[in-house]
């Protein structure tokens, strides 16, 4: 194999795929990236896989001799990222060379890295006979930004470490929860030309729902932000999901198990409704959080109907206390309700309209945050019960 | 080509495993029992090769064996006992590469058992079923063993293979969930064949090593390597009768200074073998007191295990030999 490429393209691609390399891989070859050089298309593709998440990307290069091999991901990324800009030549010996010694030449010098046979590298999973559809990437990104943060980071929570995706005829619903808060985002499933995303096989109105690990979707969001294409091809079967666009591919296993029926958790009617300016609320809350972080993360909201104001207060014993008041449009009676400040902050950051609506019933039943206008998003957060 | 051709002398195990595949009745869990070094690990590799190659093309079959041996097959997880060092797990080979000082024996840890559960939560990528091999399963403490129970009972589309020296060393709840595949020590002609095919024929010239190995080629190779690691003069000195207390003291100093504690324990094993052999040859000395050298060695082993100062132990042991 022999190829010439720019330092920039190799380094970018390497740092992209190396996110799918496990820090302590269970299989030796999975510490490597697979490099495939294709002379016909003058493209080089890089893949990495940790048995759950797989990322493949390709970039243009001058391929003088075809070939494929695997190279240690960490070593290669560290070397290439530090090389000066300019062309890099990658050359490996004949295929029968047992050590797969690869020479990397740049303007400032040359390096030799030992690789492994490409045959050892497992193929990234493919979905041949499952559902296949095209989704607008903007809608994907909106949904991911609004839901990902609410997924649980606790490995033992199994299905809650993922984001639940429901594909209905014209709507795409993302939901994530960690048991304390829930974020549901509905985006349209129609792309710019007005084509329905579901392909012809989806005539039956049955909605498709899957749970995808949050880790994979975080990578997907990062990759989608950087690319320009307008739609993402999604293929899925019982075990795997594959996202494909322009020259990149991300595969992930699906999480098994029944996702909680979150729709029945969302209350339909509310006795209290409060509309506040999001930035004002957020910045007050951030100041309050400084004190709240010291003790138990609890912030108390008091709505004052007579003055049309909402006050935020924190009382951290032995540390100090604080109170802020912000104007709000309030309907309902006066009430006090307490929350974990972290959950409120997460939600407020994800909602991106100027005004938001806060709805609740009693100090112990779920509260809902929704944006006014913009994205269809529902953020449910459980209050904290405080004894006064 | 037979999948089990590299395995020698374990016809019963081969029969049981091949029939399981032929009749498509592969158990969710197997327990390979038998002493170390008689081919349990190799049998596992052969079996995995056989299971994974079902319904694969010739081309894929050709590289399957090397992928399994390199532990690179995505549907295979090979679990070995590990050392815990600064919160990280190191297998035996990794610990040696990192130059770790090892005081306690490596163990199969709870973290690894959880890793198995995570591995099995994923459906197999290439093969019909995933396979997990747990080597030296006897090193599992009670907590990890209990954590394994549920996985062992219902692994999904997977098979677990536990490798252990015997059933006594495992929790009965584990054993009852596995199908047992017994492995036996090899007959001397099988030993001969194994050692010749693995290019270790020089061991055949060492009768005391073969006796020490007791029908386990793996053990024979390990003993042979240990023997070669001993400093030159030491072995000869040990074969000679010890004439004076002075000799005994200087020999003890040499041993305690040149050998690691693990090598010292091995030396005791070796000495027990040759001294016992000398005694049985020498019928005259087979009196009541003749057993004592072996007992001295046994005592020395106990002391060394309990971290008694090695030089003192060897001085006492060797001085008892003076004049015999």
């Amino acid at each position: 194999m022999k190829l010439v490429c720019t330092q920039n393209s190799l380094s970018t691609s390497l740092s992209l795929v190396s996110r799918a390399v496990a820090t302590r891989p269970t299989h030796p070859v999975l510490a490597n990236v697979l490099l495939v050089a294709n002379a016909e298309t003058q493209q080089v593709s890089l893949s990495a896989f940790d048995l759950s998440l797989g990322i493949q990307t390709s970039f243009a290069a001058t391929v003088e001799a075809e070939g494929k091999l695997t190279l240690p991901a960490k070593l290669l990324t560290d070397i290439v990222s530090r090389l000066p800009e300019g062309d890099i030549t990658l050359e490996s010996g004949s295929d029968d060379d047992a050590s797969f010694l690869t020479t990397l030449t740049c303007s400032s010098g040359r390096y030799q890295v030992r690789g492994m046979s490409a045959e050892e590298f497992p193929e990234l999973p493919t979905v041949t006979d499952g559902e296949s559809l095209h989704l607008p990437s903007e809608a994907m990104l909106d949904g991911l930004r609004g839901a990902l943060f609410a997924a649980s980071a606790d490995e033992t929570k199994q299905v809650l470490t993922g984001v639940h995706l429901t594909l209905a005829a014209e709507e795409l619903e993302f939901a994530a929860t960690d048991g304390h808060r829930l974020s549901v985002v509905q985006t349209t499933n129609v792309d710019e030309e007005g084509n329905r995303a579901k392909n012809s096989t989806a005539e039956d109105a049955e909605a498709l729902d899957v749970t995808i690990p949050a880790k994979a979707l975080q990578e997907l969001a990062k990759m989608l932000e950087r690319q320009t294409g307008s739609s993402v091809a999604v293929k899925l079967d019982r075990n795997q999901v594959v996202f494909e666009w322009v020259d990149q591919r991300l595969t992930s296993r699906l999480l098994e198990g029944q996702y909680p029926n979150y729709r029945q958790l969302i209350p339909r009617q509310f006795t209290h409704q409060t509309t506040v300016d999001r930035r004002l609320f957020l910045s007050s809350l951030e100041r309050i959080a400084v004190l709240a972080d010291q003790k138990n993360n609890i912030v108390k909201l008091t709505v004052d109907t007579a003055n049309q104001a909402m006050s935020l207060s924190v009382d951290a014993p032995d540390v100090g206390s604080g109170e802020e008041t912000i104007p709000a449009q309030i309907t309902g009676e006066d009430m006090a309700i307490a929350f974990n400040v972290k959950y409120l902050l997460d939600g407020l950051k994800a909602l991106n309209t100027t005004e938001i609506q806060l709805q609740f019933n009693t100090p112990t039943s779920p509260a809902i945050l929704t944006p006014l206008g913009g994205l269809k998003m529902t953020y449910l957060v459980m209050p904290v019960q405080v004894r006064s | 080509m037979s999948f089990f051709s590299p395995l020698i002398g374990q016809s019963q195990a081969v029969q049981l495993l091949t029939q399981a595949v032929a009749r498509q009745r592969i158990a969710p869990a197997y327990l390979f029992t038998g002493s170390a070094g008689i081919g349990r690990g190799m049998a596992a590799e052969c079996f995995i090769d056989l299971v994974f190659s079902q319904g694969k093309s010739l081309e894929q079959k050709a590289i399957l064996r090397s992928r399994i041996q390199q532990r690179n097959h995505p549907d295979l997880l090979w679990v070995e006992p590990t050392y815990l060092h600064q919160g990280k797990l190191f297998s035996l080979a990794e610990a040696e590469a990192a130059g770790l000082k090892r005081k306690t024996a490596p163990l199969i840890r709870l973290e690894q058992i959880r890793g198995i559960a995570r591995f099995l939560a994923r459906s197999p990528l290439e093969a019909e079923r995933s396979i997990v091999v747990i080597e030296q399963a006897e090193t599992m403490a009670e907590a990890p063993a209990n954590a394994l129970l549920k996985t062992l009972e219902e692994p999904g589309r997977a098979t677990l293979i536990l490798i252990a020296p015997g059933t006594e060393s495992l929790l009965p709840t584990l054993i009852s969930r596995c199908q047992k595949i017994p492995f036996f020590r090899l007959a001397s002609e099988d030993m001969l064949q194994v050692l010749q095919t693995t290019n270790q024929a020089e061991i055949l010239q060492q009768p005391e090593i073969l006796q020490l190995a007791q029908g386990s080629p793996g053990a024979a190779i390990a003993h042979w390597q240990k023997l070669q690691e001993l400093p030159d003069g030491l072995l000869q000195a040990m074969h000679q009768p010890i004439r004076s207390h002075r000799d005994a003291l200087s020999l003890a100093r040499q041993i305690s200074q040149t050998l690691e504690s693990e090598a010292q324990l091995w030396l005791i094993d070796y000495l027990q073998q040759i001294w016992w052999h000398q005694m049985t040859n020498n019928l005259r000395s087979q009196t009541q007191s003749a057993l004592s050298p072996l007992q001295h060695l046994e005592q020395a082993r106990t002391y060394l295990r309990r971290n008694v100062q090695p030089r003192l132990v060897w001085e006492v042991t060797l001085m008892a030999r003076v004049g015999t």
Side-chain angles (χ1 to χ4, degrees):
Chain A
M1 188 181 83
K2 186 174 183 189
L3 62 100
V4 183
C5 63
T6 62
Q7 183 266 343
N8 189 25
S9 54
L10 182 59
S11 177
T12 328
S13 303
L14 272 175
S15 63
L16 191 76
V17 296
S18 62
R19 295 171 174 283
V21 181
T23 38
R24 290 181 63 80
T26 45
H27 298 64
V29 76
L30 295 182
N32 290 13
V33 287
L34 176 68
L35 212 93
V36 182
N38 190 328
E40 203 175 299
T41 55
Q42 293 291 306
Q43 290 262 326
V44 176
S45 88
L46 288 178
S47 334
F49 188 35
D50 67 1
L51 294 185
S52 167
L53 169 70
I55 298 179
Q56 185 177 64
T57 182
S58 47
F59 57 94
T62 319
V63 180
E64 289 172 24
E66 279 196 327
K68 53 181 182 177
L69 82 166
T70 74
L71 291 170
K74 193 170 180 315
L75 275 183
L76 197 64
T77 317
D78 287 356
I79 294 174
V80 173
S81 65
R82 286 169 175 78
L83 288 181
E85 279 187 34
D87 280 355
I88 297 176
T89 312
L90 264 175
E91 189 176 5
S92 71
S94 64
D95 277 357
D96 353 297
D97 180 10
S99 65
F100 294 92
L101 206 61
T102 306
T103 316
L104 194 148
T105 320
C106 66
S107 58
S108 58
R110 58 196 282 275
Y111 294 85
Q112 284 198 318
V113 182
R114 256 169 221 282
M116 242 188 247
S117 154
E119 288 170 342
E120 306 258 324
F121 201 86
E123 297 228 351
L124 291 193
T126 47
V127 174
T128 43
D129 51 349
E131 295 275 350
S132 132
L133 43 138
H134 288 270
L135 298 176
S137 54
E138 269 307 308
M140 267 315 266
L141 264 178
D142 282 344
L144 292 177
R145 286 198 198 111
L148 258 180
F149 71 93
S152 175
D154 185 354
E155 276 281 330
T156 58
K157 292 209 169 166
Q158 303 280 351
V159 79
L160 294 191
T161 59
V163 172
H164 191 71
L165 207 68
T166 315
L167 296 155
E170 300 201 334
E171 212 174 43
L172 196 59
E173 185 170 285
F174 294 76
T177 176
D178 65 358
H180 303 288
R181 35 70 182 280
L182 161 74
S183 182
V184 182
V185 183
Q186 282 139 355
T187 64
T188 159
N189 195 0
V190 180
D191 64 16
E192 280 152 20
E193 291 95 51
N195 298 327
R196 286 245 311 268
K198 273 210 153 188
N199 67 354
S200 54
T201 62
E203 280 158 4
D204 46 298
E206 199 183 323
L208 195 69
D209 61 328
V210 289
T211 312
I212 306 171
K215 190 183 168 239
L217 290 179
Q218 272 155 9
E219 298 310 327
L220 180 69
K222 277 180 200 150
M223 288 162 79
L224 283 180
E225 273 164 15
R226 266 185 261 156
Q227 63 96 40
T228 48
S230 68
S231 82
V232 183
V234 185
K235 289 183 192 159
L236 34 89
D237 64 9
R238 253 183 52 239
N239 304 315
Q240 294 286 340
V241 59
V242 180
F243 297 95
E244 257 176 321
W245 63 95
V246 198
D247 52 1
Q248 290 174 338
R249 199 153 85 95
L250 183 139
T251 73
S252 171
R253 76 181 171 99
L254 296 176
L255 292 177
E256 282 174 32
Q258 178 77 38
Y259 202 78
N261 186 2
Y262 55 87
R263 287 184 192 92
Q264 71 180 35
L265 296 173
I266 302 172
R268 310 230 177 276
Q269 289 172 337
F270 299 95
T271 57
H272 293 72
Q273 287 203 1
T274 310
T275 309
V276 287
D277 184 273
R278 187 179 69 96
R279 285 189 188 285
L280 209 59
F281 191 20
L282 184 61
S283 51
S284 309
L285 211 52
E286 272 170 347
R287 289 188 290 272
I288 291 287
V290 174
L291 272 179
D293 282 346
Q294 298 291 320
K295 275 289 176 192
N296 44 18
N297 282 324
I298 290 175
V299 57
K300 197 160 110 183
L301 306 185
T302 318
V303 288
D304 182 351
T305 326
N307 295 324
Q308 289 289 307
M310 182 166 72
S311 66
L312 294 70
S313 65
V314 56
D315 186 15
D318 308 332
V319 182
S321 62
E323 183 167 351
E324 294 223 10
T325 308
I326 52 170
Q329 297 162 307
I330 298 163
T331 58
E333 290 161 26
D334 288 3
M335 197 179 88
I337 185 168
F339 293 101
N340 185 325
V341 68
K342 193 181 157 293
Y343 295 153
L344 276 189
L345 281 174
D346 282 351
L348 285 175
K349 282 175 190 158
L351 299 163
N352 49 6
T353 53
T354 47
E355 291 202 310
I356 61 135
Q357 195 169 48
L358 198 67
Q359 295 168 301
F360 38 81
N361 287 317
T362 66
T364 51
S365 61
I368 297 280
L369 272 75
T370 43
L372 282 181
L375 201 63
K376 267 169 88 182
M377 173 169 168
T378 312
Y379 184 64
L380 180 148
V381 55
M382 282 306 289
V384 183
Q385 190 176 10
V386 282
R387 291 193 184 82
S388 49
Chain B
M1 185 197 90
S2 163
F3 287 97
F4 286 94
S5 58
L7 188 67
I8 289 162
Q10 304 290 358
S11 53
Q12 189 188 1
V14 172
Q15 185 72 7
L16 284 169
L17 292 173
T18 39
Q19 285 304 315
V21 178
R23 288 166 200 270
Q24 300 195 324
R25 297 183 65 146
I26 303 174
Y30 286 102
L31 175 61
F32 286 11
T33 61
S35 0
I38 53 174
R40 299 165 306 166
M42 185 182 276
E45 282 177 5
C46 299
F47 177 61
I48 293 164
D49 195 5
L50 176 63
V51 174
F52 282 0
S53 64
Q54 302 294 309
K56 292 274 180 281
S57 69
L58 267 179
E59 218 171 288
Q60 288 166 317
K61 278 184 193 173
I63 57 163
L64 205 54
R65 178 57 66 103
S66 85
R67 289 177 74 192
I68 290 167
Q69 280 170 349
Q70 305 279 330
R71 315 278 185 255
N72 272 336
H73 197 286
D75 298 327
L76 167 69
L77 183 68
W78 200 284
V79 181
E80 288 172 323
T82 51
Y83 297 99
L84 188 64
H85 180 70
Q86 293 176 343
K88 281 185 184 169
L89 298 178
F90 288 86
S91 72
L92 195 64
E94 285 169 337
E96 253 163 45
L100 291 185
K101 281 213 164 173
R102 311 178 300 271
K103 282 186 185 139
T104 50
L107 299 173
I108 299 276
R109 291 168 199 278
L110 188 56
E111 183 48 42
Q112 293 176 287
I113 302 295
R114 297 212 173 112
I116 293 176
R118 274 199 297 277
F119 177 79
L120 293 179
R122 203 181 45 76
S123 48
L125 285 171
E126 293 180 17
E128 281 295 300
R129 52 172 66 222
S130 309
I131 296 189
V132 176
V133 180
I134 304 179
E135 239 183 301
Q136 287 179 269
E138 77 278 7
T139 62
M140 242 187 301
E142 201 171 321
N146 283 328
L148 185 64
L149 290 178
K150 198 146 177 4
T151 318
L152 203 56
E153 196 161 81
E154 274 191 334
R157 273 164 70 199
T159 292
L160 281 95
I161 301 175
L162 272 61
I163 300 182
T167 49
E168 310 78 33
S169 47
L170 291 173
L171 287 187
T173 42
L174 282 183
I175 299 161
S176 66
R177 284 166 167 82
C178 301
Q179 185 183 343
K180 282 178 276 297
I181 307 283
F183 285 75
F184 303 101
R185 291 175 181 277
L186 300 189
S188 40
E189 56 267 33
D190 288 337
M191 271 292 265
L192 188 91
Q193 193 188 344
V194 174
L195 291 175
Q196 271 167 350
T197 47
T198 51
N199 292 326
Q200 302 281 357
E202 72 246 43
I203 298 177
L204 298 170
Q205 314 303 320
Q206 305 282 333
E208 71 273 10
I209 292 282
L210 289 179
Q211 283 161 3
L212 203 56
Q214 296 182 325
S216 161
I221 294 168
H223 286 312
W224 176 237
Q225 281 165 348
K226 286 263 171 57
L227 188 69
Q228 282 172 321
E229 280 166 17
L230 288 186
D232 286 339
L234 194 60
L235 205 59
Q236 273 172 330
M238 299 303 288
H239 279 280
Q240 305 292 328
I242 298 165
R243 288 199 185 79
S244 66
H245 284 91
R246 193 194 154 88
D247 281 355
L249 289 175
S250 66
L251 195 55
R253 192 184 63 194
Q254 199 191 349
I255 292 172
S256 58
Q257 280 178 352
T258 52
L259 296 183
E260 294 283 323
S261 60
E262 219 154 295
Q264 291 181 17
L265 285 172
W266 178 81
L267 186 64
I268 290 179
D269 283 343
Y270 181 72
L271 287 180
Q272 273 185 328
Q273 173 69 27
I274 53 175
W275 286 359
W276 173 76
H277 202 65
Q278 281 172 2
M279 271 164 34
T280 46
N281 285 351
N282 194 348
L283 286 174
R284 262 189 310 150
S285 62
Q286 213 171 22
T287 52
Q288 198 86 56
S289 67
L291 270 178
S292 73
L294 295 188
Q295 282 163 347
H296 278 301
L297 284 171
E298 201 55 49
Q299 192 74 53
R301 191 206 317 272
T302 318
Y303 287 146
L304 284 178
R305 286 242 169 89
R306 292 183 186 162
N307 298 326
V308 177
Q309 195 194 3
R311 184 161 165 188
L312 208 58
V313 174
W314 283 104
E315 281 175 354
V316 170
T317 314
L318 294 173
M319 271 158 66
R321 280 283 283 180
V322 172
T324 57

